[in-house]
């Protein structure tokens, strides 16, 4: 199973590179597979590559669900 997550683009760099922010964690990724992205856009990230863009509201809903799952998992773990 593969998992791709939405992340907000915070910096564009040369050579199709960019920095995304996911809950305070910043990571450099490749944006070679997506066209015309700008700082502030949300992209879907899989293994260090942006593979598409996502609507900001949908990205926020998805991230909120991930946070809810993490909280529920923390309650279940001893």
């Amino acid at each position: 199973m593969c998992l791709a997550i939405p992340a907000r683009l915070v910096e564009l760099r040369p050579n199709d590179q960019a920095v995304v922010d996911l809950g305070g964690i910043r990571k450099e990724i490749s944006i070679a597979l997506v066209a015309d992205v700008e700082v502030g856009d949300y992209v879907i990230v899989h293994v260090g590559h942006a593979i598409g863009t996502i609507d900001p509201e949908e990205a926020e809903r998805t991230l909120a669900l991930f946070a809810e799952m993490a909280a529920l998992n923390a309650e279940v773990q001893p």
Side-chain angles (χ1 to χ4, degrees), residues 1-6 29-30 33 43-52:
M1 179 171 95
C2 297
L3 179 65
I5 55 173
I29 64 163
S30 169
L33 301 175
V43 294
I44 300 294
V45 179
H46 178 65
V47 291
H49 297 270
I51 59 172

Side-chain angles (χ1 to χ4, degrees), residues 11-69:
E11 181 183 339
L12 294 173
R13 294 190 174 169
N15 301 318
D16 288 329
Q17 297 294 301
V19 176
V20 293
D21 179 89
L22 179 62
I25 298 171
R26 291 185 177 218
K27 176 161 180 57
E28 186 172 26
I29 64 163
S30 169
I31 54 171
L33 301 175
V34 293
D36 302 322
V37 291
E38 299 176 3
V39 170
D41 288 348
Y42 279 87
V43 294
I44 300 294
V45 179
H46 178 65
V47 291
H49 297 270
I51 59 172
T53 58
I54 187 171
D55 177 80
E57 289 92 20
E58 183 64 27
E60 292 296 337
R61 282 193 297 272
T62 301
L63 293 171
L65 286 171
F66 284 151
E68 186 178 334
M69 288 188 305

